[in-house]
Amino acid sequence: MDTMMALRAHTRGGPEQLVYEQAPVPVPARGEVLIAVHAAAITLAELGWDLSWTARDGSDRTPVIPSHEVSGTVAALGEDVPGFSVGDDVYGLIDFDRDGAAAEFVTAPADTLAHKPRSITHVHAAALPLAALTAWQALVDHAGLAPGEQVLIHGGAGGIGVYAVQIAASLGARVIATDAPAHAELVRRLGAERFIDFTSEAFDDVVSGLDVVLDTVGGRTLERSYGVLRPGGRLVTLGATPSPERAEEHQVKAMFFVVRPDAGELAHLARMVDDGRLRPVVSQVFPLDAGRRAFESRGRERRPGKTILTVR
């Protein structure tokens, strides 16, 4: 096959630019895998990212294909790709500066992929890579969360929060999470020992001396989070670079990072899923040809979890 169906945008903008149309099937380069896509997850805000439209050097790369989380089957291999065979089920996170998985086929470097968790569907596997990797890297690689430590997770029912709560609990931490009251049962079920309803309770009035805070909200929530940590505590924020002055004032370590694809960590997350320690959370599912409608759902009321496009 030389062509495939894909969701593409030829001009930078929002969902209104997305068109379901024929596109060339990509060819895997050295070290890359061609994946027959079964399901792809979208981040509803991704059309606002510069790297969704440009190469690393800032040059325009339209037309572009969105959706950087994929679950599918290996259809072909480039040269020098150990560890995978045609027919293997894989999942992974595609770099943001290349075409995504809202298409029948996508190529990705082998070192951004792992074998799909055996116990779940492609739809559920596609819900993991970006959010679960972000949660793992925040809590393990950056915060160094240890068993018995107390961690506060802002937005426990958010796209990243649902995985952060589960991962923190699996690490043996004592988990406190904030969110809206409608999500209290879900957040507790995922592993939070304590739930703080941010609509009726100020978290900085009721907790203090914490070891770790994971901030997925930013703004005033970030500003108020320095003071709930013990001296030497760690604050990881996903929204913006934290204030060195505020961190020094409270004698804490504060850090910001952007998630990176990591095959080894994806493999570990897959084992957690198959062992029953981590479960994907899916909000809504659309067929690929309704991909524009999926992106247009941003800002509407919906259940917690990822938005998924099904392809085959």
Side-chain angles (χ1 to χ4, degrees):
M1 291 178 59
D2 296 325
T3 62
M4 63 180 182
M5 296 306 295
L7 188 68
R8 296 205 296 179
H10 292 260
T11 303
R12 184 166 183 161
E16 74 282 354
Q17 300 296 342
L18 294 171
V19 181
Y20 180 64
E21 63 183 7
Q22 283 195 329
V25 173
V27 177
R30 181 183 295 271
E32 292 185 348
V33 173
L34 177 67
I35 303 167
V37 180
H38 287 263
I42 67 174
T43 301
L44 294 173
E46 69 182 83
L47 297 179
W49 303 343
D50 284 341
L51 282 180
S52 293
W53 305 95
T54 67
R56 295 280 173 181
D57 63 4
S59 59
D60 179 85
R61 59 178 186 86
T62 53
V64 299
I65 298 174
S67 183
H68 296 273
E69 299 169 89
V70 63
S71 184
T73 302
V74 175
L77 301 170
E79 297 180 23
D80 298 329
V81 180
F84 294 111
S85 301
V86 171
D88 286 352
D89 286 335
V90 297
Y91 83 126
L93 176 62
I94 300 167
D95 283 318
F96 303 127
D97 63 340
R98 57 187 293 153
D99 277 339
E104 292 182 304
F105 294 92
V106 67
T107 56
D111 61 6
T112 65
L113 304 170
H115 289 96
K116 182 184 80 68
R118 299 182 305 275
S119 59
I120 58 174
T121 65
H122 285 286
V123 165
H124 287 89
L128 289 164
L130 176 60
L133 268 181
T134 300
W136 179 268
Q137 290 173 12
L139 294 172
V140 177
D141 298 347
H142 295 277
L145 183 65
E149 289 193 314
Q150 290 191 89
V151 56
L152 173 62
I153 297 168
H154 290 303
I160 293 165
V162 293
Y163 297 110
V165 169
Q166 295 181 77
I167 289 169
S170 75
L171 293 170
R174 299 176 60 191
V175 183
I176 306 164
T178 68
D179 215 291
H183 301 142
E185 182 181 350
L186 169 66
V187 172
R188 289 194 180 101
R189 194 165 63 243
L190 293 175
E193 292 184 11
R194 181 176 181 183
F195 178 84
I196 298 174
D197 169 9
F198 70 77
T199 68
S200 63
E201 207 170 16
F203 71 88
D204 45 342
D205 286 342
V206 295
V207 296
S208 62
L210 304 179
D211 300 289
V212 173
V213 173
L214 173 55
D215 166 47
T216 70
V217 179
R220 284 286 300 145
T221 298
L222 169 59
E223 285 301 306
R224 293 160 52 204
S225 292
Y226 296 93
V228 301
L229 287 160
R230 63 168 174 81
R234 292 92 72 198
L235 168 62
V236 182
T237 180
L238 306 178
T241 303
S243 164
E245 294 77 18
R246 295 278 284 149
E248 183 177 0
E249 175 189 350
H250 290 278
Q251 302 176 56
V252 301
K253 182 179 180 182
M255 62 208 88
F256 164 80
F257 79 101
V258 176
V259 65
R260 68 184 191 286
D262 187 297
E265 292 180 341
L266 283 167
H268 181 80
L269 292 169
R271 290 192 293 272
M272 290 182 67
V273 171
D274 289 335
D275 290 344
R277 293 178 291 143
L278 184 68
R279 69 178 181 91
V281 183
V282 173
S283 173
Q284 50 186 352
V285 180
F286 295 82
L288 179 62
D289 60 5
R292 176 173 170 173
R293 186 156 51 88
F295 276 96
E296 288 172 341
S297 70
R298 184 185 183 189
R300 298 175 189 165
E301 189 69 27
R302 60 186 181 278
R303 294 180 300 177
K306 292 293 292 191
T307 296
I308 309 294
L309 303 178
T310 54
V311 180
R312 51 168 58 80

